[in-house]
Amino acid sequence: MARTDTNSESGTFSRVRLQGVGIMGIRVCGAALALAAQILASRLLGAEDFGRYSLLLVWLLVLGYAATAGSGQLVCRYLAQYAASRDQASIAGLLRAALVTVLAVGVVLVGAAVAVVVFFPLGLSKSDVLLACLALSAIPLVALQDFLESIARGLDRPALGIGPAFLVRHLAIIFGLLALLALGGSADALMVMGFTVAGLVASILTQYALLRRHLRDALSGVQPRYDLYRWVTRALPMAGADITEMLLLNADILILGLFVAPEYVAFYFAATRLAQILAYVPYGATAATAQKYAVLAGRSKSSELQALIGKVATYSTVLTGMGALLLSLFAAQLLAAFGPEYAQAAPIVALLCLGIVVSCAFGPGEDVLNMLGQERVCSLAFLSALAVNIALNFALIPLLGLTGAALATVSALALRGALLAYFARVRLGLVLPAFLSLLRPTHDREIPYET
């Protein structure tokens, strides 16, 4: 029996590792394309206009992920469970309900955001108002893209959702800018934002084309069954965590915009784009494993679940640590590609990399808690970290500028990781931190898992 369990654990992790490597490969390619697009844009626009574009891009992403209303984690979790039990009717109901919710919330957010910009412009020029309206109009597109990605993850085909999102979108910006240059035109922030929106549309169409056959097979001839009360009560805390996470990762940029000139926002934004390359490691692990946590917990395979968590946490920490060292060493040279003045943000890259490594070291807490029915305490951990992040940003930015923003982010990421690991231990009896999480039970036990 022990041999069977060991073989099962090894097989699970082998599949996860292959998927994770493939997804990280896509993310690395996507990161290279994103950097190329942003470098090209920064060179064409100049630091001041690139700062304006960057700030509105962050607002678009924050509000776009808010529009998902928790559907991403919800669909990933329940789609995996329903697929494992071959409950096609619930799959059909879940996807229809989630799609309607995403589109409805997205449209409402667009109306509210555009109304604020138009009727309360807060000193924005006419060109900035137009730029903001174009960016904010794409909120439902960001939400829809996340919805399609969560379907791909729930069906255990994460590359089909992630590939278009991180390859096609950035290629559209690059090709658009290169075509503009070839035609002798000049770029401005509005033009770059237009290419960004076009890239979103192209990537969504590609995602749908890749997923269409799998969706047709799953939904063909099925009468939808709805479990709205369960889905809503689970989605609301997840929505809170999603919004909080986006604010946690971007509050520094948004608050910087209140204190510093646009060009300094551009410098900091460029530093965050470099540091976020490291985030592709835990993201690759998340896309390959989150749905598997739910399946293993549902089968009460606690030893296999703990082993998977341990390997994911340890591998992610080691890889991000190595990447952080390399990025920190070459940060000045990489930032100089945006423009010679950007190199001054090199120390910021090192600080932000440290925050990501520390976050990985505490283990995959968000995935474990959300997939195993502990989304409320997960949301509490995120809210606590966000409160600390905002307070530290307002306290440190006036004193230390860009360095203060980076220190606030690192502190908040460390707090979030520690709280998530603590809740996983107390609520589920699972050990999350890297290396410690490899110390696992030899026998399966019942997991206090809420469906």
Side-chain angles (χ1 to χ4, degrees):
M1 183 67 178
R3 181 183 299 273
T4 300
D5 290 343
T6 301
N7 290 340
S8 176
E9 291 175 11
S10 177
T12 298
F13 186 67
S14 295
R15 291 191 298 273
V16 167
R17 184 167 53 191
L18 287 173
Q19 278 190 335
V21 168
I23 292 163
M24 279 187 276
I26 292 172
R27 290 298 302 261
V28 168
C29 291
L33 290 172
L35 278 176
Q38 289 153 6
I39 288 169
L40 185 58
S42 69
R43 289 286 190 173
L44 291 173
L45 297 179
E48 186 174 349
D49 274 355
F50 185 64
R52 292 190 179 95
Y53 164 79
S54 302
L55 189 58
L56 282 169
L57 180 63
V58 169
W59 274 113
L60 167 61
L61 294 176
V62 168
L63 293 174
Y65 285 110
T68 64
S71 64
Q73 294 278 12
L74 184 81
V75 169
C76 179
R77 170 179 165 183
Y78 282 105
L79 184 54
Q81 290 180 11
Y82 294 150
S85 60
R86 301 184 184 279
D87 187 353
Q88 306 300 101
S90 292
I91 290 176
L94 173 66
L95 296 185
R96 284 171 170 80
L99 177 60
V100 170
T101 300
V102 163
L103 294 178
V105 175
V107 170
V108 170
L109 280 180
V110 169
V114 170
V116 169
V117 170
V118 172
F119 296 109
F120 307 97
L122 302 175
L124 295 176
S125 66
K126 289 184 178 180
S127 61
D128 285 342
V129 169
L130 184 59
L131 176 63
C133 289
L134 175 59
L136 297 171
S137 68
I139 289 172
L141 297 178
V142 174
L144 183 57
Q145 182 158 82
D146 186 79
F147 171 69
L148 291 172
E149 183 182 326
S150 66
I151 292 175
R153 290 171 57 196
L155 293 173
D156 206 19
R157 300 177 183 276
L160 298 185
I162 294 166
F166 292 97
L167 299 178
V168 176
R169 186 170 65 189
H170 302 308
L171 281 171
I173 300 174
I174 293 171
F175 288 152
L177 290 174
L178 290 177
L180 191 66
L181 283 174
L183 295 172
S186 60
D188 57 18
L190 186 66
M191 186 73 68
V192 177
M193 188 61 73
F195 291 141
T196 302
V197 174
L200 274 169
V201 173
S203 58
I204 288 170
L205 293 175
T206 306
Q207 280 178 306
Y208 178 72
L210 292 173
L211 288 170
R212 184 178 179 183
R213 177 174 63 85
H214 303 288
L215 289 172
R216 185 173 61 246
D217 293 343
L219 304 178
S220 179
V222 174
Q223 183 67 30
R225 180 167 57 244
Y226 298 95
D227 192 358
L228 293 179
Y229 178 78
R230 174 183 292 181
W231 296 338
V232 170
T233 55
R234 293 293 183 263
L236 288 177
M238 291 180 184
D242 285 345
I243 296 169
T244 305
E245 181 178 22
M246 284 303 297
L247 288 172
L248 181 64
L249 296 177
N250 294 286
D252 46 5
I253 297 176
L254 299 179
I255 297 173
L256 266 176
L258 302 176
F259 288 97
V260 302
E263 54 265 32
Y264 287 99
V265 174
F267 300 156
Y268 191 88
F269 180 79
T272 64
R273 297 312 96 176
L274 282 182
Q276 283 186 5
I277 293 174
L278 291 183
Y280 300 158
V281 175
Y283 181 87
T286 290
T289 58
Q291 62 275 12
K292 291 181 173 60
Y293 297 149
V295 173
L296 290 174
R299 295 173 180 170
S300 296
K301 293 190 174 184
S302 62
S303 62
E304 191 173 343
L305 174 60
Q306 181 67 78
L308 180 58
I309 291 170
K311 290 175 180 176
V312 167
T314 302
Y315 276 75
S316 296
T317 303
V318 171
L319 289 174
T320 52
M322 295 167 58
L325 181 60
L326 287 174
L327 279 176
S328 299
L329 288 174
F330 297 101
Q333 294 90 327
L334 292 170
L335 286 169
F338 288 84
E341 66 272 33
Y342 285 80
Q344 63 187 278
I348 305 303
V349 175
L351 280 173
L352 294 174
C353 286
L354 174 63
I356 295 171
V357 173
V358 170
S359 182
C360 283
F362 279 112
E366 180 186 3
D367 295 336
V368 171
L369 292 174
N370 277 334
M371 293 299 107
L372 274 63
Q374 299 295 327
E375 57 277 346
R376 289 178 178 82
V377 291
C378 180
S379 182
L380 176 62
F382 275 79
L383 285 170
S384 301
L386 176 61
V388 169
N389 191 18
I390 292 173
L392 288 177
N393 268 296
F394 276 107
L396 296 178
I397 288 174
L399 295 175
L400 302 172
L402 306 190
T403 303
L407 287 172
T409 297
V410 171
S411 301
L413 289 175
L415 175 63
R416 181 190 66 174
L419 288 173
L420 292 174
Y422 170 77
F423 286 134
R425 181 61 177 167
V426 171
R427 293 296 187 95
L428 302 169
L430 296 170
V431 180
L432 267 57
F435 306 106
L436 289 178
S437 54
L438 292 172
L439 303 174
R440 59 187 176 85
T442 56
H443 301 290
D444 286 324
R445 61 175 176 79
E446 190 73 23
I447 301 171
Y449 165 53
E450 297 181 23
T451 59

